[in-house]
Amino acid sequence: MATKLLDALREDRPGFTSSQGGPECYLRGKSRGGCLKPADRTFAQTTQCQQMNAIATLLSMEDSVFIVHAPDGCSGCASMFNESYKVGQYHRGKRVAKNAHIVSSSFDENDVIMGGETKLRTTIRSVVQRYQPKIVFLFSSCSSGIIGDDIDAVAAELQKDYDSTVIIPIHCEGFKSKIHSTGFDVVFNAIQNYIIGDDRPETEEGLVNIFATTSIGYADQLELERMLKAIGLKVNYIPFFSSYEKLKKIPAAEYSVSVCQVFADTYMKFLYEEYGIPYVITGMPVGTRSTDRWLTEIAKMVGKEEEAAAFLARERAAVLPEIESLREKIQGRRVFVCTGTGRGVAAATLIEDYNMKLVGIQSPTYEDAYVDDYERLAEFHGDDFIIDVATMQPFEQVNLVNRLKPDFFIGIGSWVDKLGIPNTHILEPKRPTFGYRGVVYLGRKIATALENTAWADKMAAHRKLPYRDSWYQQDAFHYMKREEDEE
Ligand code: SF4
């Protein structure tokens, strides 16, 4: 049996933080100097926990049931991922989309005092009987972790009774890590240890594992597959809309690629060390510069650079006239970007295509893996754009956006609508964002939103955000205690 992969938490990585803020040149200087430290937040709004990421990563698995060993509230966010799952089924041709089988063990005060393992056993038995799944994923939580319920022992005990169902415990207690992306690592850890184990399947020529994050929709999956087909690769797409059999095939791949610098990066390294599967970390193919880099780096790994260059030249020629025409309409506008870390950096390269200027970016994390990307952005946008490193924390975002007064906002716009700033959404699994086709699609969306600002205008006129005027006068990073501020 393979040994456990990931003992370290993401916050133990050097140069990693989920709470910092300042101009790009400041954070890059600190990071390169080896002295970037997380700031302490003295006030924080609600945040995302690693359990959410672990659930979101697996929720679209076929033939699976998901048990959250927790009070009911912990699985509240699953409804959001369930919606994406249903949309994903529709996009994949299912006209009657089903709900994910997500079940809470409904931990209560009594269980916290007396222990919840009996309730967990009952829950597992009842879901196996009802759904006969191939896999039961068992997610821990703060409460079950704090009282020491042994989900591994319960899984091992009940596994003896079931031949056709694998019971997989996932250790994703929210309190263990402030970095929600740790939830990705614990998922890959469980996949390796409980599904792949000691399997050593024969290598399939031309097969590439594509490790994709939760925000990637079917249109983008097809675009990735189309780009990779152009250089002779076929895709094992992991872990969305995946299956027990597809996960089993992970070690049979000839190569591994992730579409984000920090998704599955540790796991790809493990696959290289354990199975000799080469991998490349290339960022996300949003915007022409990021798309070129993504495919070219993969092509270098597989020795198909000429084919990739020819494909990219054809793609560019097909969309260049429309990009130029859209650029005429939207260039020169100042933009604030707010999405996931990898997608945010890539979205900032997209606005280069339209000659727009980046003034600020909010990102859940900042780490060594992104410093070069930020430096490349600084070559185009200057090194004075503001980076707000925050998991959610809309109060900081609102303060910054109000202060920087961008002409356009890329991200979820429910807050900035009320400041009257037109916006569009890029973090969505519903529409295409990848490759050259994605550049045109997003360019059209930006142009349309800038052309008709009626929604944001009306929202600003009739709706107020819940902050006092005094908050807008404060420094956006007022509630971050940074070491250097105390010197
Ligand atoms: S696991 Fe902990 S942090 Fe996550 S939702 Fe439950 S109580 Fe909150």
Side-chain angles (χ1 to χ4, degrees), residues 298-343:
I298 298 168
K300 267 188 211 160
M301 175 172 68
V302 306
K304 294 280 176 72
E305 282 160 276
E306 272 179 31
E307 288 86 339
F311 174 82
L312 290 168
R314 283 196 303 277
E315 293 290 295
R316 200 173 302 124
V319 296
L320 207 56
E322 186 163 1
I323 291 178
E324 280 169 359
S325 135
L326 287 165
R327 191 185 296 135
E328 288 293 309
K329 295 182 189 163
I330 61 180
Q331 64 187 339
R333 309 297 178 97
R334 300 165 69 255
V335 182
F336 192 102
V337 173
C338 173
T339 112
T341 311
R343 195 174 274 268

mmCIF file of all heavy atoms in Angstrom, residues 298-343:
data_model
loop_
_atom_site.group_PDB
_atom_site.id
_atom_site.type_symbol
_atom_site.label_atom_id
_atom_site.label_comp_id
_atom_site.label_asym_id
_atom_site.label_seq_id
_atom_site.Cartn_x
_atom_site.Cartn_y
_atom_site.Cartn_z
ATOM 1 N N ILE A 298 3.545 22.155 -22.507
ATOM 2 C CA ILE A 298 3.183 20.729 -22.600
ATOM 3 C C ILE A 298 3.852 20.113 -23.832
ATOM 4 O O ILE A 298 4.396 19.007 -23.778
ATOM 5 C CB ILE A 298 1.648 20.554 -22.666
ATOM 6 C CG1 ILE A 298 1.009 21.103 -21.388
ATOM 7 C CG2 ILE A 298 1.277 19.084 -22.841
ATOM 8 C CD1 ILE A 298 -0.501 21.239 -21.452
ATOM 9 N N ALA A 299 3.808 20.875 -24.943
ATOM 10 C CA ALA A 299 4.411 20.360 -26.191
ATOM 11 C C ALA A 299 5.901 20.100 -26.015
ATOM 12 O O ALA A 299 6.439 19.121 -26.539
ATOM 13 C CB ALA A 299 4.154 21.359 -27.318
ATOM 14 N N LYS A 300 6.565 20.962 -25.240
ATOM 15 C CA LYS A 300 8.006 20.754 -24.977
ATOM 16 C C LYS A 300 8.200 19.428 -24.257
ATOM 17 O O LYS A 300 9.119 18.669 -24.549
ATOM 18 C CB LYS A 300 8.535 21.876 -24.074
ATOM 19 C CG LYS A 300 9.119 23.051 -24.827
ATOM 20 C CD LYS A 300 9.780 23.986 -23.818
ATOM 21 C CE LYS A 300 9.671 25.405 -24.325
ATOM 22 N NZ LYS A 300 9.838 26.396 -23.283
ATOM 23 N N MET A 301 7.318 19.156 -23.291
ATOM 24 C CA MET A 301 7.447 17.924 -22.504
ATOM 25 C C MET A 301 7.282 16.685 -23.391
ATOM 26 O O MET A 301 7.969 15.687 -23.199
ATOM 27 C CB MET A 301 6.412 17.927 -21.372
ATOM 28 C CG MET A 301 6.359 16.657 -20.560
ATOM 29 S SD MET A 301 5.302 16.795 -19.109
ATOM 30 C CE MET A 301 3.676 16.950 -19.823
ATOM 31 N N VAL A 302 6.372 16.781 -24.386
ATOM 32 C CA VAL A 302 6.089 15.576 -25.192
ATOM 33 C C VAL A 302 6.820 15.591 -26.531
ATOM 34 O O VAL A 302 6.631 14.687 -27.346
ATOM 35 C CB VAL A 302 4.563 15.388 -25.403
ATOM 36 C CG1 VAL A 302 3.831 15.377 -24.073
ATOM 37 C CG2 VAL A 302 3.963 16.444 -26.308
ATOM 38 N N GLY A 303 7.628 16.648 -26.764
ATOM 39 C CA GLY A 303 8.394 16.716 -28.023
ATOM 40 C C GLY A 303 7.540 17.042 -29.235
ATOM 41 O O GLY A 303 7.791 16.538 -30.332
ATOM 42 N N LYS A 304 6.512 17.879 -29.064
ATOM 43 C CA LYS A 304 5.630 18.230 -30.196
ATOM 44 C C LYS A 304 5.547 19.755 -30.351
ATOM 45 O O LYS A 304 4.467 20.303 -30.563
ATOM 46 C CB LYS A 304 4.218 17.660 -29.953
ATOM 47 C CG LYS A 304 4.118 16.150 -29.952
ATOM 48 C CD LYS A 304 4.071 15.627 -31.378
ATOM 49 C CE LYS A 304 4.078 14.121 -31.476
ATOM 50 N NZ LYS A 304 2.887 13.462 -31.086
ATOM 51 N N GLU A 305 6.684 20.426 -30.232
ATOM 52 C CA GLU A 305 6.649 21.897 -30.260
ATOM 53 C C GLU A 305 6.185 22.451 -31.604
ATOM 54 O O GLU A 305 5.470 23.439 -31.660
ATOM 55 C CB GLU A 305 8.037 22.443 -29.926
ATOM 56 C CG GLU A 305 8.323 22.378 -28.439
ATOM 57 C CD GLU A 305 9.804 22.441 -28.143
ATOM 58 O OE1 GLU A 305 10.455 21.386 -28.202
ATOM 59 O OE2 GLU A 305 10.287 23.536 -27.871
ATOM 60 N N GLU A 306 6.622 21.799 -32.696
ATOM 61 C CA GLU A 306 6.240 22.314 -34.034
ATOM 62 C C GLU A 306 4.730 22.221 -34.226
ATOM 63 O O GLU A 306 4.096 23.153 -34.714
ATOM 64 C CB GLU A 306 6.934 21.502 -35.119
ATOM 65 C CG GLU A 306 8.291 22.074 -35.456
ATOM 66 C CD GLU A 306 8.997 21.265 -36.517
ATOM 67 O OE1 GLU A 306 8.319 20.673 -37.380
ATOM 68 O OE2 GLU A 306 10.234 21.211 -36.451
ATOM 69 N N GLU A 307 4.169 21.080 -33.827
ATOM 70 C CA GLU A 307 2.723 20.884 -33.974
ATOM 71 C C GLU A 307 1.961 21.922 -33.144
ATOM 72 O O GLU A 307 0.965 22.485 -33.597
ATOM 73 C CB GLU A 307 2.308 19.481 -33.511
ATOM 74 C CG GLU A 307 2.727 18.348 -34.418
ATOM 75 C CD GLU A 307 4.137 17.839 -34.141
ATOM 76 O OE1 GLU A 307 4.928 18.596 -33.531
ATOM 77 O OE2 GLU A 307 4.449 16.716 -34.538
ATOM 78 N N ALA A 308 2.458 22.187 -31.933
ATOM 79 C CA ALA A 308 1.782 23.169 -31.061
ATOM 80 C C ALA A 308 1.854 24.563 -31.676
ATOM 81 O O ALA A 308 0.857 25.295 -31.692
ATOM 82 C CB ALA A 308 2.412 23.164 -29.676
ATOM 83 N N ALA A 309 3.036 24.909 -32.204
ATOM 84 C CA ALA A 309 3.195 26.247 -32.790
ATOM 85 C C ALA A 309 2.257 26.414 -33.981
ATOM 86 O O ALA A 309 1.621 27.468 -34.152
ATOM 87 C CB ALA A 309 4.657 26.458 -33.203
ATOM 88 N N ALA A 310 2.146 25.368 -34.802
ATOM 89 C CA ALA A 310 1.268 25.452 -35.982
ATOM 90 C C ALA A 310 -0.191 25.594 -35.544
ATOM 91 O O ALA A 310 -0.953 26.403 -36.092
ATOM 92 C CB ALA A 310 1.444 24.199 -36.840
ATOM 93 N N PHE A 311 -0.593 24.837 -34.529
ATOM 94 C CA PHE A 311 -1.972 24.902 -34.023
ATOM 95 C C PHE A 311 -2.267 26.305 -33.487
ATOM 96 O O PHE A 311 -3.291 26.910 -33.817
ATOM 97 C CB PHE A 311 -2.165 23.854 -32.924
ATOM 98 C CG PHE A 311 -3.490 23.938 -32.234
ATOM 99 C CD1 PHE A 311 -4.626 23.360 -32.797
ATOM 100 C CD2 PHE A 311 -3.623 24.602 -31.009
ATOM 101 C CE1 PHE A 311 -5.865 23.442 -32.162
ATOM 102 C CE2 PHE A 311 -4.850 24.682 -30.373
ATOM 103 C CZ PHE A 311 -5.978 24.106 -30.945
ATOM 104 N N LEU A 312 -1.341 26.822 -32.682
ATOM 105 C CA LEU A 312 -1.573 28.143 -32.075
ATOM 106 C C LEU A 312 -1.635 29.235 -33.146
ATOM 107 O O LEU A 312 -2.431 30.174 -33.042
ATOM 108 C CB LEU A 312 -0.483 28.457 -31.039
ATOM 109 C CG LEU A 312 -0.556 27.606 -29.756
ATOM 110 C CD1 LEU A 312 0.708 27.757 -28.913
ATOM 111 C CD2 LEU A 312 -1.784 27.960 -28.921
ATOM 112 N N ALA A 313 -0.803 29.097 -34.188
ATOM 113 C CA ALA A 313 -0.830 30.103 -35.262
ATOM 114 C C ALA A 313 -2.192 30.088 -35.957
ATOM 115 O O ALA A 313 -2.760 31.144 -36.268
ATOM 116 C CB ALA A 313 0.294 29.815 -36.259
ATOM 117 N N ARG A 314 -2.727 28.885 -36.185
ATOM 118 C CA ARG A 314 -4.053 28.782 -36.828
ATOM 119 C C ARG A 314 -5.131 29.396 -35.938
ATOM 120 O O ARG A 314 -5.999 30.139 -36.391
ATOM 121 C CB ARG A 314 -4.410 27.308 -37.096
ATOM 122 C CG ARG A 314 -3.708 26.686 -38.274
ATOM 123 C CD ARG A 314 -4.396 25.399 -38.709
ATOM 124 N NE ARG A 314 -4.497 24.394 -37.665
ATOM 125 C CZ ARG A 314 -3.525 23.529 -37.334
ATOM 126 N NH1 ARG A 314 -2.367 23.566 -37.966
ATOM 127 N NH2 ARG A 314 -3.701 22.641 -36.372
ATOM 128 N N GLU A 315 -5.058 29.095 -34.647
ATOM 129 C CA GLU A 315 -6.056 29.617 -33.696
ATOM 130 C C GLU A 315 -6.015 31.144 -33.664
ATOM 131 O O GLU A 315 -7.044 31.806 -33.688
ATOM 132 C CB GLU A 315 -5.762 29.092 -32.286
ATOM 133 C CG GLU A 315 -5.960 27.616 -32.112
ATOM 134 C CD GLU A 315 -7.418 27.210 -32.169
ATOM 135 O OE1 GLU A 315 -8.175 27.617 -31.293
ATOM 136 O OE2 GLU A 315 -7.793 26.474 -33.108
ATOM 137 N N ARG A 316 -4.787 31.661 -33.629
ATOM 138 C CA ARG A 316 -4.603 33.117 -33.540
ATOM 139 C C ARG A 316 -5.201 33.783 -34.780
ATOM 140 O O ARG A 316 -5.947 34.752 -34.683
ATOM 141 C CB ARG A 316 -3.105 33.424 -33.431
ATOM 142 C CG ARG A 316 -2.770 34.791 -32.879
ATOM 143 C CD ARG A 316 -1.275 34.949 -32.642
ATOM 144 N NE ARG A 316 -0.739 33.956 -31.742
ATOM 145 C CZ ARG A 316 0.270 33.119 -32.022
ATOM 146 N NH1 ARG A 316 0.850 33.159 -33.203
ATOM 147 N NH2 ARG A 316 0.692 32.239 -31.134
ATOM 148 N N ALA A 317 -4.857 33.230 -35.951
ATOM 149 C CA ALA A 317 -5.323 33.837 -37.207
ATOM 150 C C ALA A 317 -6.858 33.846 -37.252
ATOM 151 O O ALA A 317 -7.461 34.805 -37.748
ATOM 152 C CB ALA A 317 -4.767 33.055 -38.396
ATOM 153 N N ALA A 318 -7.479 32.809 -36.709
ATOM 154 C CA ALA A 318 -8.946 32.708 -36.790
ATOM 155 C C ALA A 318 -9.646 33.777 -35.953
ATOM 156 O O ALA A 318 -10.755 34.196 -36.286
ATOM 157 C CB ALA A 318 -9.391 31.319 -36.345
ATOM 158 N N VAL A 319 -9.033 34.223 -34.864
ATOM 159 C CA VAL A 319 -9.760 35.137 -33.967
ATOM 160 C C VAL A 319 -9.175 36.559 -33.913
ATOM 161 O O VAL A 319 -9.798 37.456 -33.354
ATOM 162 C CB VAL A 319 -9.832 34.573 -32.520
ATOM 163 C CG1 VAL A 319 -10.619 33.282 -32.470
ATOM 164 C CG2 VAL A 319 -8.466 34.392 -31.905
ATOM 165 N N LEU A 320 -7.983 36.739 -34.508
ATOM 166 C CA LEU A 320 -7.321 38.046 -34.379
ATOM 167 C C LEU A 320 -8.182 39.232 -34.842
ATOM 168 O O LEU A 320 -8.257 40.248 -34.145
ATOM 169 C CB LEU A 320 -5.974 38.019 -35.116
ATOM 170 C CG LEU A 320 -4.927 38.979 -34.581
ATOM 171 C CD1 LEU A 320 -4.666 38.742 -33.100
ATOM 172 C CD2 LEU A 320 -3.635 38.852 -35.370
ATOM 173 N N PRO A 321 -8.862 39.119 -36.009
ATOM 174 C CA PRO A 321 -9.666 40.282 -36.430
ATOM 175 C C PRO A 321 -10.712 40.673 -35.376
ATOM 176 O O PRO A 321 -10.900 41.857 -35.100
ATOM 177 C CB PRO A 321 -10.346 39.788 -37.717
ATOM 178 C CG PRO A 321 -9.503 38.657 -38.189
ATOM 179 C CD PRO A 321 -8.884 38.031 -36.985
ATOM 180 N N GLU A 322 -11.368 39.664 -34.756
ATOM 181 C CA GLU A 322 -12.393 40.018 -33.761
ATOM 182 C C GLU A 322 -11.751 40.584 -32.494
ATOM 183 O O GLU A 322 -12.284 41.520 -31.885
ATOM 184 C CB GLU A 322 -13.277 38.809 -33.417
ATOM 185 C CG GLU A 322 -14.395 39.271 -32.495
ATOM 186 C CD GLU A 322 -15.569 38.336 -32.368
ATOM 187 O OE1 GLU A 322 -15.553 37.252 -32.991
ATOM 188 O OE2 GLU A 322 -16.514 38.697 -31.629
ATOM 189 N N ILE A 323 -10.587 40.042 -32.095
ATOM 190 C CA ILE A 323 -9.913 40.595 -30.911
ATOM 191 C C ILE A 323 -9.560 42.065 -31.162
ATOM 192 O O ILE A 323 -9.772 42.933 -30.307
ATOM 193 C CB ILE A 323 -8.641 39.777 -30.564
ATOM 194 C CG1 ILE A 323 -9.029 38.384 -30.045
ATOM 195 C CG2 ILE A 323 -7.783 40.497 -29.516
ATOM 196 C CD1 ILE A 323 -7.863 37.463 -29.716
ATOM 197 N N GLU A 324 -9.073 42.354 -32.388
ATOM 198 C CA GLU A 324 -8.692 43.746 -32.692
ATOM 199 C C GLU A 324 -9.902 44.669 -32.667
ATOM 200 O O GLU A 324 -9.834 45.790 -32.174
ATOM 201 C CB GLU A 324 -7.981 43.800 -34.045
ATOM 202 C CG GLU A 324 -6.527 43.380 -33.904
ATOM 203 C CD GLU A 324 -5.815 43.150 -35.218
ATOM 204 O OE1 GLU A 324 -6.448 43.303 -36.283
ATOM 205 O OE2 GLU A 324 -4.628 42.791 -35.158
ATOM 206 N N SER A 325 -11.008 44.169 -33.187
ATOM 207 C CA SER A 325 -12.200 45.016 -33.210
ATOM 208 C C SER A 325 -12.738 45.247 -31.790
ATOM 209 O O SER A 325 -13.134 46.364 -31.430
ATOM 210 C CB SER A 325 -13.210 44.381 -34.155
ATOM 211 O OG SER A 325 -14.466 44.374 -33.625
ATOM 212 N N LEU A 326 -12.701 44.205 -30.959
ATOM 213 C CA LEU A 326 -13.149 44.371 -29.564
ATOM 214 C C LEU A 326 -12.200 45.305 -28.812
ATOM 215 O O LEU A 326 -12.619 46.127 -27.988
ATOM 216 C CB LEU A 326 -13.206 43.008 -28.866
ATOM 217 C CG LEU A 326 -14.355 42.084 -29.270
ATOM 218 C CD1 LEU A 326 -14.099 40.651 -28.802
ATOM 219 C CD2 LEU A 326 -15.672 42.585 -28.689
ATOM 220 N N ARG A 327 -10.887 45.186 -29.130
ATOM 221 C CA ARG A 327 -9.893 46.015 -28.433
ATOM 222 C C ARG A 327 -10.173 47.504 -28.651
ATOM 223 O O ARG A 327 -10.050 48.323 -27.756
ATOM 224 C CB ARG A 327 -8.494 45.659 -28.933
ATOM 225 C CG ARG A 327 -7.389 46.284 -28.082
ATOM 226 C CD ARG A 327 -6.020 46.025 -28.661
ATOM 227 N NE ARG A 327 -5.678 44.620 -28.670
ATOM 228 C CZ ARG A 327 -5.121 43.980 -29.709
ATOM 229 N NH1 ARG A 327 -4.862 44.636 -30.832
ATOM 230 N NH2 ARG A 327 -4.831 42.704 -29.632
ATOM 231 N N GLU A 328 -10.588 47.830 -29.877
ATOM 232 C CA GLU A 328 -10.929 49.227 -30.187
ATOM 233 C C GLU A 328 -11.969 49.778 -29.213
ATOM 234 O O GLU A 328 -11.941 50.931 -28.823
ATOM 235 C CB GLU A 328 -11.516 49.322 -31.610
ATOM 236 C CG GLU A 328 -10.510 49.116 -32.717
ATOM 237 C CD GLU A 328 -9.511 50.239 -32.763
ATOM 238 O OE1 GLU A 328 -9.936 51.411 -32.778
ATOM 239 O OE2 GLU A 328 -8.291 49.951 -32.736
ATOM 240 N N LYS A 329 -12.904 48.879 -28.813
ATOM 241 C CA LYS A 329 -14.021 49.333 -27.968
ATOM 242 C C LYS A 329 -13.648 49.434 -26.496
ATOM 243 O O LYS A 329 -14.212 50.232 -25.769
ATOM 244 C CB LYS A 329 -15.199 48.353 -28.095
ATOM 245 C CG LYS A 329 -15.814 48.295 -29.455
ATOM 246 C CD LYS A 329 -16.987 47.326 -29.416
ATOM 247 C CE LYS A 329 -17.487 47.067 -30.824
ATOM 248 N NZ LYS A 329 -18.301 45.899 -30.929
ATOM 249 N N ILE A 330 -12.746 48.567 -26.024
ATOM 250 C CA ILE A 330 -12.590 48.471 -24.557
ATOM 251 C C ILE A 330 -11.205 48.823 -24.047
ATOM 252 O O ILE A 330 -10.976 48.828 -22.838
ATOM 253 C CB ILE A 330 -12.998 47.053 -24.054
ATOM 254 C CG1 ILE A 330 -12.130 45.963 -24.675
ATOM 255 C CG2 ILE A 330 -14.444 46.780 -24.327
ATOM 256 C CD1 ILE A 330 -12.508 44.537 -24.209
ATOM 257 N N GLN A 331 -10.270 49.110 -24.948
ATOM 258 C CA GLN A 331 -8.900 49.342 -24.491
ATOM 259 C C GLN A 331 -8.798 50.572 -23.576
ATOM 260 O O GLN A 331 -9.637 51.469 -23.605
ATOM 261 C CB GLN A 331 -7.951 49.502 -25.680
ATOM 262 C CG GLN A 331 -8.226 50.708 -26.544
ATOM 263 C CD GLN A 331 -7.351 50.688 -27.784
ATOM 264 O OE1 GLN A 331 -6.323 50.025 -27.815
ATOM 265 N NE2 GLN A 331 -7.744 51.412 -28.800
ATOM 266 N N GLY A 332 -7.777 50.562 -22.760
ATOM 267 C CA GLY A 332 -7.504 51.709 -21.881
ATOM 268 C C GLY A 332 -8.283 51.682 -20.578
ATOM 269 O O GLY A 332 -7.997 52.454 -19.660
ATOM 270 N N ARG A 333 -9.282 50.798 -20.450
ATOM 271 C CA ARG A 333 -10.075 50.772 -19.210
ATOM 272 C C ARG A 333 -9.233 50.157 -18.085
ATOM 273 O O ARG A 333 -8.428 49.270 -18.305
ATOM 274 C CB ARG A 333 -11.348 49.949 -19.377
ATOM 275 C CG ARG A 333 -12.182 50.309 -20.592
ATOM 276 C CD ARG A 333 -12.708 51.728 -20.538
ATOM 277 N NE ARG A 333 -13.457 52.039 -21.739
ATOM 278 C CZ ARG A 333 -14.769 51.967 -21.853
ATOM 279 N NH1 ARG A 333 -15.499 51.608 -20.826
ATOM 280 N NH2 ARG A 333 -15.361 52.273 -22.984
ATOM 281 N N ARG A 334 -9.493 50.648 -16.879
ATOM 282 C CA ARG A 334 -8.774 50.152 -15.696
ATOM 283 C C ARG A 334 -9.600 49.033 -15.054
ATOM 284 O O ARG A 334 -10.817 49.166 -14.896
ATOM 285 C CB ARG A 334 -8.553 51.304 -14.724
ATOM 286 C CG ARG A 334 -7.733 52.443 -15.358
ATOM 287 C CD ARG A 334 -7.796 53.722 -14.577
ATOM 288 N NE ARG A 334 -7.107 53.641 -13.302
ATOM 289 C CZ ARG A 334 -7.697 53.546 -12.125
ATOM 290 N NH1 ARG A 334 -9.018 53.532 -12.026
ATOM 291 N NH2 ARG A 334 -6.991 53.497 -11.013
ATOM 292 N N VAL A 335 -8.924 47.946 -14.684
ATOM 293 C CA VAL A 335 -9.652 46.725 -14.286
ATOM 294 C C VAL A 335 -9.186 46.216 -12.918
ATOM 295 O O VAL A 335 -7.986 46.238 -12.607
ATOM 296 C CB VAL A 335 -9.426 45.604 -15.339
ATOM 297 C CG1 VAL A 335 -10.212 44.346 -14.966
ATOM 298 C CG2 VAL A 335 -9.797 46.072 -16.729
ATOM 299 N N PHE A 336 -10.143 45.744 -12.124
ATOM 300 C CA PHE A 336 -9.856 45.025 -10.877
ATOM 301 C C PHE A 336 -10.296 43.577 -11.092
ATOM 302 O O PHE A 336 -11.381 43.329 -11.607
ATOM 303 C CB PHE A 336 -10.648 45.653 -9.718
ATOM 304 C CG PHE A 336 -10.225 45.174 -8.353
ATOM 305 C CD1 PHE A 336 -9.415 45.972 -7.549
ATOM 306 C CD2 PHE A 336 -10.625 43.938 -7.867
ATOM 307 C CE1 PHE A 336 -9.013 45.540 -6.282
ATOM 308 C CE2 PHE A 336 -10.230 43.495 -6.603
ATOM 309 C CZ PHE A 336 -9.418 44.303 -5.814
ATOM 310 N N VAL A 337 -9.434 42.633 -10.698
ATOM 311 C CA VAL A 337 -9.731 41.202 -10.906
ATOM 312 C C VAL A 337 -9.901 40.518 -9.556
ATOM 313 O O VAL A 337 -9.093 40.724 -8.645
ATOM 314 C CB VAL A 337 -8.587 40.516 -11.690
ATOM 315 C CG1 VAL A 337 -8.810 39.002 -11.765
ATOM 316 C CG2 VAL A 337 -8.452 41.097 -13.091
ATOM 317 N N CYS A 338 -10.933 39.707 -9.420
ATOM 318 C CA CYS A 338 -11.128 38.957 -8.177
ATOM 319 C C CYS A 338 -11.644 37.558 -8.509
ATOM 320 O O CYS A 338 -12.796 37.396 -8.909
ATOM 321 C CB CYS A 338 -12.134 39.697 -7.299
ATOM 322 S SG CYS A 338 -12.581 38.757 -5.846
ATOM 323 N N THR A 339 -10.780 36.573 -8.403
ATOM 324 C CA THR A 339 -11.233 35.187 -8.610
ATOM 325 C C THR A 339 -10.266 34.263 -7.859
ATOM 326 O O THR A 339 -9.579 34.701 -6.947
ATOM 327 C CB THR A 339 -11.301 34.804 -10.122
ATOM 328 O OG1 THR A 339 -10.335 33.874 -10.431
ATOM 329 C CG2 THR A 339 -11.108 35.942 -11.047
ATOM 330 N N GLY A 340 -10.164 32.995 -8.236
ATOM 331 C CA GLY A 340 -9.183 32.108 -7.608
ATOM 332 C C GLY A 340 -7.767 32.527 -7.985
ATOM 333 O O GLY A 340 -7.587 33.316 -8.924
ATOM 334 N N THR A 341 -6.772 31.996 -7.300
ATOM 335 C CA THR A 341 -5.406 32.483 -7.522
ATOM 336 C C THR A 341 -4.945 32.235 -8.961
ATOM 337 O O THR A 341 -4.544 33.178 -9.661
ATOM 338 C CB THR A 341 -4.436 31.787 -6.535
ATOM 339 O OG1 THR A 341 -4.981 31.859 -5.220
ATOM 340 C CG2 THR A 341 -3.082 32.464 -6.530
ATOM 341 N N GLY A 342 -4.993 31.002 -9.422
ATOM 342 C CA GLY A 342 -4.520 30.682 -10.769
ATOM 343 C C GLY A 342 -5.341 31.367 -11.836
ATOM 344 O O GLY A 342 -4.814 31.915 -12.808
ATOM 345 N N ARG A 343 -6.654 31.378 -11.657
ATOM 346 C CA ARG A 343 -7.526 31.989 -12.655
ATOM 347 C C ARG A 343 -7.352 33.504 -12.683
ATOM 348 O O ARG A 343 -7.431 34.137 -13.729
ATOM 349 C CB ARG A 343 -8.987 31.617 -12.379
ATOM 350 C CG ARG A 343 -9.904 31.897 -13.526
ATOM 351 C CD ARG A 343 -11.291 31.385 -13.238
ATOM 352 N NE ARG A 343 -11.462 30.005 -13.575
ATOM 353 C CZ ARG A 343 -11.901 29.564 -14.760
ATOM 354 N NH1 ARG A 343 -12.193 30.420 -15.709
ATOM 355 N NH2 ARG A 343 -12.054 28.279 -14.984
#
